[in-house]
Amino acid sequence: MRTYHRAPMSAALPDRVNVARQVLARRIYEGALPLAAMSRLRDSLAVADGAARFTVEFGKDGIGIAWLALRVEADLPLLCQRTLEAFMYPVSIDQRMGVIATEAEEAGLPSDYEPLLVANGELSIADVIEDELILALPVVPLKPGVPLEWSDQAADESVDERPSNPFAVLGTLKKH
């Protein structure tokens, strides 16, 4: 029977953990990280209010690959680039990452594993959570319900007035 070592919800998340030890102990961390504590993500947010709820589980699969399973739920306050209004962008991450020590090991991972490069054997769980939240951000934040297409009637009319032949304009210049 496998045993799991679950960190209490109120326990502080360690700054760095030894991945091999976490895998051997099949350690599970649960809790919430304030968005304000995520310095790289914070610049992309309208305000740094709220928290990301997470569960991080370490383990090893049947073929010996060490993995980290990450589940994160957060409502990220973003600024709509069309209306300039703040809105909540829900993020739900459920990711299994294969722990690798070198980039060459990535080829040996099963296709359903994302690579997690851990060069010195230690990692910051908070950094992994922040990295995944940054990757979940939309390239251009748009508030739900805002139309993707602009309706600019003046621009449409100017397009209709253009000659179909691009050299027609040169012909009119030559006549003058």
Side-chain angles (χ1 to χ4, degrees), residues 1-121:
M1 179 167 186
R2 292 184 178 166
T3 59
Y4 294 89
H5 299 283
R6 188 174 298 269
M9 285 287 280
S10 59
L13 194 61
D15 288 337
R16 301 196 67 73
V17 296
N18 179 294
V19 174
R21 288 183 185 151
Q22 304 306 305
V23 168
L24 284 174
R26 300 191 52 87
R27 186 72 187 242
I28 299 173
Y29 293 92
E30 292 179 316
L33 283 176
L35 297 177
M38 299 182 199
S39 60
R40 293 174 294 129
L41 175 67
R42 198 173 43 222
D43 291 340
S44 299
L45 303 177
V47 293
D49 293 341
R53 296 156 310 282
F54 68 87
T55 302
V56 177
E57 180 180 349
F58 290 88
K60 192 175 270 196
D61 68 11
I63 58 174
I65 295 175
W67 51 262
L68 177 149
L70 177 68
R71 286 175 293 287
V72 181
E73 300 284 331
D75 288 321
L76 302 179
L78 300 181
L79 188 64
C80 176
Q81 296 303 295
R82 173 95 19 112
T83 65
L84 298 179
E85 296 174 353
F87 70 100
M88 297 307 270
Y89 182 74
V91 173
S92 180
I93 299 167
D94 191 358
Q95 186 76 263
R96 182 169 288 224
M97 302 174 194
V99 178
I100 57 175
T102 65
E103 289 182 17
E105 294 175 10
E106 182 178 349
L109 289 177
S111 62
D112 57 336
Y113 282 38
E114 286 293 320
L116 178 62
L117 183 62
V118 181
N120 63 1

Side-chain angles (χ1 to χ4, degrees), residues 145-161:
V146 172
L148 296 176
E149 300 291 325
W150 281 107
S151 175
D152 190 359
Q153 194 171 14
D156 293 341
E157 290 171 5
S158 67
V159 170
D160 292 340
E161 294 172 5

Side-chain angles (χ1 to χ4, degrees), residues 118-161:
V118 181
N120 63 1
E122 291 188 348
L123 67 80
S124 165
I125 295 171
D127 285 352
V128 173
I129 293 167
E130 184 175 10
D131 289 345
E132 292 301 313
L133 286 171
I134 290 169
L135 289 171
L137 289 172
V139 175
V140 179
L142 290 175
K143 186 176 179 179
V146 172
L148 296 176
E149 300 291 325
W150 281 107
S151 175
D152 190 359
Q153 194 171 14
D156 293 341
E157 290 171 5
S158 67
V159 170
D160 292 340
E161 294 172 5

